[in-house]
Amino acid sequence: MLTHLALSNFAVVSAHGLPLGPGFTVVTGETGAGKSLLVDALLCLSGARAESGMVRHGAERAELSAEFHLNDAPEALAWLRENELDDGDTCQLRRVIRADGGSKAWINGRAATAAQLGELGGLLLEIHGQHEQQRLLDRRQQLGLLDAFGQCQAEAEAVRTAHRHWLSLKQALDDLQRRGDVGERIDYLQHQVAELRRQPLEPEHIETAVMRHKRQSQSGQLLAACAAAASLLDGEDGTSALALLRAGMAQIARWQDSDAGLAEVHGLLESADVQLKEALSQLRHLQDGIELDPAEIAELDAQLGHWHELARKHRVGLHELQAKCEALDAELEQLRGSGDAAVRLQTELKDAAEAWRAAAAALSARRRDAAERLGQAVSALMDELGMAGGRFVVELEANADATPQAQGGERCEFLVSANPGQPPRALRKVASGGELARISLAIEVATLGLDPTPTMVFDEVDSGIGGAVAEVVGRKLRALGGRCQVLCVTHLAQVASLGHQHLQVAKRIASDSTESQVTALDGEARVREIARMMGGVTLTPQTLAHAEAMLAQAGNP
């Protein structure tokens, strides 16, 4: 339920906070006072397009916020939890519209997109505009409305699920059949896979071969380097490292008794002699282990050549050859089984079509029952709305195409006969705008309250009616207010007198500024507003007495 609406610098409203309660709330005011601004604000908070013209002249931005209790909105609460935007059992929607046309939105203080506002707003509010009847002329909307009236949601979802399954199978079969003769492709893949499998393709095997080839290619240089190093360490010409080291040690040995420091140096040189000999030993061991094998180099060259040729052919790296082979093999197996797959898919497609027909038949039965009940309900309301003898019929027509459809096995058409003796005609072909408005209102009243939306907003849906019909409309809306929260912008005293709460929108002009204000009315103020709506500018004792009587009759003191 909507509990509070706040507007700041929105159109002609500078700043206003509006508490709202349960039941049926009416909004009235002079023409042009800005009654529909409340509806426009709720539309913006429900994700509608925000325009710079909504910002009050001279202001940088407009700010809108609405607060809701979620005790009567379990679907909205579930949506908030799913999107991690919940904050207990309350919800706040906020939107800022800048003068340059940009806007930002928040849900419970966290940034949100206009799309998220739209999703959540649809679970919190249902807004009916002045031209709502135009939506009823769309046959797709008519079918959806019939399903809502008949509470066919479960059956309709079963049909959609069956259709999605059937469609996925049909697309798979079509894809398979578009391939045509796959024999050539199978032959090609067999050749490719056989060619790849003739070589060892494991990445580890390839890596080992690459390293072996690198080592063999460098064997000659390694042998030469080892021989040169060994000659420098222990050559025969007397200039090797070991020979020079030992000559130095001999010189120091003769004088080490003369200086204790020389004895320490001699010890270090002895250690160096041991280290050089160890290094020389390891070097010769490594040198002995290097094998220069021209035959192995030739073999590795050939193997690497095969791998590089395959990699270029299949446009992959050396280490991706095994994965490529597996992918080609998988495609080959799939094509080999394509014949069996086609037979299987045809069988499954037939079964899916049967399942869809069963689901569609169950939905059709519910729709036929709902169509009869909706026709009776709207026809009865037409009598109450001043169209005595009128008749409303919901016609269901089987689809010309027998293939499964997402919406079921039939189409829907609303037919109406506005006067006794006239045959029903399609609602979309009814010429009279006044008749269309009444019929549309009858359909709306008959189908309202069928969804869990906790707050319904009406913007002058009673336009074009008056007198006793207007009172009937008001009583229907008041009754609806007993099941959910209802806000209605109206210009009819008969409707306004039946509201549980009454809000008046008035325009104030101060200096060169115009501003709309909203005031909650009760007592004498409400009587005077009802009288104004009936009698114009001059309020006579008779119109005031009539207004008091209307409020008393409605049960509003």
Side-chain angles (χ1 to χ4, degrees):
M1 181 183 75
L2 177 63
T3 59
H4 192 267
L5 178 65
L7 314 178
S8 175
N9 293 324
F10 184 68
V12 292
V13 178
S14 60
H16 197 82
L18 184 64
L20 295 163
F24 177 32
T25 300
V26 294
V27 181
T28 66
E30 297 279 3
T31 300
K35 300 186 295 296
S36 293
L37 285 178
L38 301 180
V39 179
D40 294 339
L42 291 174
L43 283 170
C44 284
L45 287 167
S46 298
R49 180 181 176 83
E51 299 178 356
S52 59
M54 297 175 175
V55 181
R56 181 176 172 82
H57 179 69
E60 294 181 357
R61 63 181 182 271
E63 295 191 23
L64 312 172
S65 68
E67 296 179 6
F68 296 83
H69 277 307
L70 302 176
N71 295 334
D72 55 356
E75 291 188 2
L77 183 57
W79 185 94
L80 287 165
R81 287 172 177 167
E82 181 180 349
N83 289 271
E84 299 181 346
L85 293 169
D86 54 308
D87 187 17
D89 58 357
T90 62
C91 174
Q92 183 190 63
L93 306 182
R94 179 169 173 255
R95 194 166 186 183
V96 171
I97 306 168
R98 299 193 305 272
D100 62 8
S103 70
K104 291 183 179 180
W106 294 265
I107 297 175
N108 284 332
R110 281 159 277 187
T113 64
Q116 287 178 313
L117 278 185
E119 290 180 23
L120 179 58
L123 300 173
L124 294 169
L125 298 162
E126 184 175 320
I127 300 176
H128 295 258
Q130 296 183 37
H131 304 290
E132 183 67 14
Q133 63 264 25
Q134 297 301 319
R135 186 178 67 91
L136 296 172
L137 303 182
D138 186 334
R139 297 185 67 172
R140 292 169 298 181
Q141 296 287 347
Q142 292 175 0
L143 190 61
L145 190 148
L146 176 65
D147 286 346
F149 179 81
Q151 296 183 325
C152 307
Q153 291 86 350
E155 290 81 2
E157 180 57 32
V159 168
R160 287 191 291 271
T161 300
H163 174 260
R164 285 193 297 268
H165 180 54
W166 175 86
L167 190 61
S168 66
L169 291 171
K170 184 176 184 302
Q171 290 173 344
L173 182 59
D174 289 344
D175 290 342
L176 196 60
Q177 291 174 340
R178 273 195 297 268
R179 294 178 181 177
D181 184 8
V182 296
E184 291 185 5
R185 180 66 177 172
I186 289 176
D187 292 341
Y188 171 79
L189 290 174
Q190 285 176 333
H191 173 74
Q192 299 297 316
V193 170
E195 184 181 46
L196 284 164
R197 283 180 173 171
R198 281 196 290 269
Q199 307 296 328
L201 302 177
E202 296 80 2
E204 300 82 4
H205 186 93
I206 293 174
E207 182 64 25
T208 301
V210 169
M211 294 303 296
R212 286 175 56 205
H213 181 269
K214 183 177 181 181
R215 180 177 179 133
Q216 279 293 332
S217 298
Q218 297 173 345
S219 294
Q221 293 91 328
L222 286 173
L223 285 171
C226 289
S231 177
L232 290 171
L233 292 174
D234 191 18
E236 296 179 354
D237 58 358
T239 60
S240 66
L242 277 173
L244 294 173
L245 177 62
R246 287 166 184 165
M249 289 173 60
Q251 289 292 331
I252 292 174
R254 287 188 299 168
W255 297 98
Q256 62 180 343
D257 293 339
S258 302
D259 191 322
L262 289 176
E264 184 178 351
V265 171
H266 189 271
L268 291 173
L269 291 174
E270 285 182 332
S271 298
D273 181 67
V274 173
Q275 293 292 326
L276 280 174
K277 289 177 181 178
E278 180 65 26
L280 184 61
S281 175
Q282 290 191 24
L283 181 61
R284 286 171 176 164
H285 178 73
L286 290 172
Q287 188 176 6
D288 293 339
I290 297 174
E291 297 181 0
L292 186 58
D293 189 348
E296 184 180 11
I297 292 178
E299 180 184 345
L300 290 170
D301 278 339
Q303 180 64 78
L304 287 172
H306 288 312
W307 283 329
H308 281 293
E309 182 181 354
L310 290 172
R312 284 193 299 270
K313 184 175 183 178
H314 294 285
R315 298 180 180 180
V316 296
L318 289 181
H319 297 84
E320 297 173 329
L321 283 171
Q322 185 179 39
K324 181 63 177 181
C325 182
E326 292 172 353
L328 293 176
D329 194 39
E331 183 184 355
L332 179 59
E333 290 301 315
Q334 183 182 20
L335 291 179
R336 283 171 175 163
S338 60
D340 294 338
V343 173
R344 176 180 55 79
L345 284 172
Q346 287 171 347
T347 301
E348 291 182 0
L349 188 65
K350 182 179 179 181
D351 292 342
E354 289 296 330
W356 176 87
R357 278 189 280 272
L363 177 59
S364 296
R366 291 292 299 268
R367 282 173 172 172
R368 285 192 295 271
D369 175 68
E372 183 177 354
R373 290 187 290 109
L374 180 59
Q376 293 172 353
V378 175
S379 296
L381 284 165
M382 288 171 63
D383 282 342
E384 296 182 51
L385 293 173
M387 301 178 69
R391 187 161 59 98
F392 181 82
V393 178
V394 180
E395 181 180 72
L396 294 174
E397 178 185 357
N399 293 332
D401 187 353
T403 58
Q405 304 291 328
Q407 77 275 7
E410 59 274 317
R411 297 185 300 166
C412 176
E413 180 82 82
F414 287 175
L415 307 178
V416 65
S417 170
N419 301 298
Q422 290 183 347
R425 294 185 298 150
L427 180 63
R428 54 193 168 86
K429 296 181 180 179
V430 172
S432 168
E435 289 179 349
L436 178 60
R438 292 192 192 187
I439 295 166
S440 298
L441 185 58
I443 295 172
E444 289 178 6
V445 172
T447 56
L448 286 175
L450 297 176
D451 56 38
T453 307
T455 299
M456 293 189 176
V457 183
F458 300 90
D459 187 12
E460 298 191 20
V461 293
D462 51 11
S463 177
I465 61 175
V469 175
E471 183 178 348
V472 172
V473 171
R475 293 196 177 280
K476 296 295 182 184
L477 293 173
R478 184 181 177 94
L480 180 62
R483 300 199 299 272
C484 63
Q485 183 184 39
V486 177
L487 276 70
C488 179
V489 176
T490 182
H491 64 282
L492 296 178
Q494 296 93 323
V495 174
S497 64
L498 288 159
H500 295 107
Q501 295 89 31
H502 192 148
L503 303 176
Q504 181 193 46
V505 181
K507 188 176 290 185
R508 304 282 188 267
I509 300 177
S511 301
D512 58 350
S513 176
T514 302
E515 181 177 341
S516 289
Q517 295 181 340
V518 185
T519 306
L521 301 181
D522 56 14
E524 183 63 25
R526 188 173 185 185
V527 171
R528 295 183 67 83
E529 174 64 5
I530 297 295
R532 180 200 64 77
M533 298 174 72
M534 290 189 299
V537 177
T538 303
L539 303 182
T540 65
Q542 291 80 8
T543 56
L544 290 171
H546 190 186
E548 287 182 349
M550 291 176 66
L551 288 167
Q553 185 178 3
N556 294 318

